[in-house]
Amino acid sequence: YEDAHNDGCKLMLSGQNGNATISYGSILSYIYQKVVKLHFSSAYKEALAFCQLRKVPKKNLLKVFLTQYFNRVINSKPFSEDCFTKTNLIKKYHLKKYISTTDRKNGNGLFDSKKQHQNFIYMPRLYQHIGLYDTYMSLQYNIISEDPTLTPEIIELCYNMPIDCFVKNGKERRVVRDYFKGYIPNEILDNHTARGSQGADFNFRVNRDWDKIKNQVLEILNEPLLLEYLDKKKIDDLIHTISQNEYNLDKTMVAEATVIGALGYFLRHHAGGN
């Protein structure tokens, strides 16, 4: 936003809601939705087409599907074991039940039903988060922020599309790959493996710039105001793990430190009711 502002740009286009709309469509999601509906033939045919297109052995795809299903659905951590919030607050505000209910309604990733994905598309908390960030950045840098993947027309269109529109003949993200031909260069549409520079690279950038941000990260994680809400031992364990894995932090460590750090800055800013 700052670079765009300095270049005199007045309009910023993004596609941050694309994964929920026009870029939705994983082979694992397709197989899951077909299997739970007992459409085994469709699941097998599409899996076979995917393996042929991507030159992936069938047993490898099956192994990935089962592993991901086990880790994300069967063996997912209970909320209380995977959270930094104090135990008494989890119980007081019934957070475990709230998160469980939210996940059942809106899904949590690859293994969502059609209804869960529809609920995710219309999840108010998601739009509240995106809207707050975009509004703040637009006002700060005097730039209008627009996301074509977040328009009512696109959301309603993708809401009503069956999973076959998003995965077909082995193609993942089919809405973009097939329906946008002639609008997006083929070298982008036909690239099934590479990803551009994006938020998913966050842990790489943190490790690369660790010397620059180390003191700032550790300082905010030690913010005393956090202890009113978060478990001190879990924060200390995270700090210790980070210190032991400098320059080799995985996505989980970075994500946890980022969320806790954001809360720390928020509490500092609003300390004393200001």
Side-chain angles (χ1 to χ4, degrees):
Y1 273 86
E2 184 176 359
D3 289 343
H5 172 75
N6 292 336
D7 286 342
C9 178
K10 295 297 182 181
L11 176 65
M12 174 75 77
L13 293 178
S14 73
Q16 59 186 331
N17 200 51
N19 284 346
T21 54
I22 63 172
S23 290
Y24 175 69
S26 163
I27 185 64
L28 300 184
S29 299
Y30 182 94
I31 294 173
Y32 174 76
Q33 290 192 25
K34 291 299 182 180
V35 167
V36 296
K37 291 290 187 179
L38 304 182
H39 298 161
F40 300 110
S41 177
S42 297
Y44 177 77
K45 289 179 180 178
E46 196 57 50
L48 188 61
F50 173 84
C51 291
Q52 293 174 341
L53 177 67
R54 300 286 296 274
K55 297 179 173 54
V56 175
K58 293 189 290 294
K59 63 179 181 180
N60 286 15
L61 177 59
L62 178 61
K63 180 179 179 181
V64 169
F65 178 85
L66 294 177
T67 300
Q68 290 287 334
Y69 180 79
F70 180 81
N71 291 337
R72 298 186 181 218
V73 179
I74 305 299
N75 197 37
S76 59
K77 292 182 180 180
F79 175 75
S80 58
E81 297 178 11
D82 194 29
C83 177
F84 286 78
T85 307
K86 285 184 173 180
T87 302
N88 65 311
L89 296 180
I90 293 175
K91 293 180 179 179
K92 179 179 179 180
Y93 295 104
H94 309 288
L95 296 183
K96 189 172 182 179
K97 180 180 179 180
Y98 172 76
I99 295 297
S100 177
T101 301
T102 301
D103 281 350
R104 284 199 305 271
K105 180 180 178 182
N106 301 318
N108 58 9
L110 293 172
F111 299 99
D112 296 340
S113 67
K114 174 64 176 178
K115 186 61 179 177
Q116 284 176 315
H117 180 245
Q118 289 176 327
N119 289 336
F120 178 78
I121 292 179
Y122 276 115
M123 187 163 61
R125 284 189 297 127
L126 178 65
Y127 295 144
Q128 181 185 33
H129 174 74
I130 293 175
L132 178 65
Y133 175 82
D134 283 349
T135 300
Y136 177 85
M137 299 298 284
S138 295
L139 291 173
Q140 181 176 359
Y141 292 103
N142 193 29
I143 294 176
I144 297 175
S145 178
E146 293 287 347
D147 183 355
T149 67
L150 194 53
T151 65
E153 294 82 6
I154 288 295
I155 291 174
E156 291 175 9
L157 175 66
C158 293
Y159 180 93
N160 291 292
M161 282 182 172
I163 187 66
D164 303 85
C165 290
F166 297 100
V167 181
K168 190 68 175 179
N169 298 325
K171 290 183 182 179
E172 298 179 298
R173 303 173 185 256
R174 182 207 177 193
V175 172
V176 173
R177 296 192 193 282
D178 279 2
Y179 306 153
F180 280 69
K181 272 192 174 296
Y183 297 94
I184 297 177
N186 288 338
E187 56 264 31
I188 295 177
L189 297 180
D190 296 336
N191 191 331
H192 293 268
T193 56
R195 295 284 190 272
S197 184
Q198 55 181 289
D201 304 321
F202 64 87
N203 67 310
F204 166 78
R205 294 196 297 274
V206 166
N207 286 305
R208 180 194 63 190
D209 299 331
W210 183 242
D211 287 332
K212 299 178 183 178
I213 65 175
K214 173 181 177 180
N215 293 335
Q216 183 182 3
V217 172
L218 296 179
E219 188 263 344
I220 194 61
L221 291 180
N222 282 287
E223 169 57 54
L225 291 171
L226 289 169
L227 301 183
E228 182 177 350
Y229 304 96
L230 306 184
D231 186 287
K232 184 178 187 303
K233 183 180 183 306
K234 290 185 177 181
I235 295 179
D236 289 341
D237 288 344
L238 176 62
I239 293 173
H240 176 74
T241 302
I242 290 175
S243 299
Q244 294 293 311
N245 293 274
E246 291 185 313
Y247 311 105
N248 192 33
L249 306 177
D250 63 28
K251 289 187 176 183
T252 299
M253 293 182 218
V254 175
E256 289 174 344
T258 301
V259 173
I260 294 172
L263 175 60
Y265 284 120
F266 174 83
L267 294 174
R268 275 186 188 176
H269 184 72
H270 293 279
N274 295 324

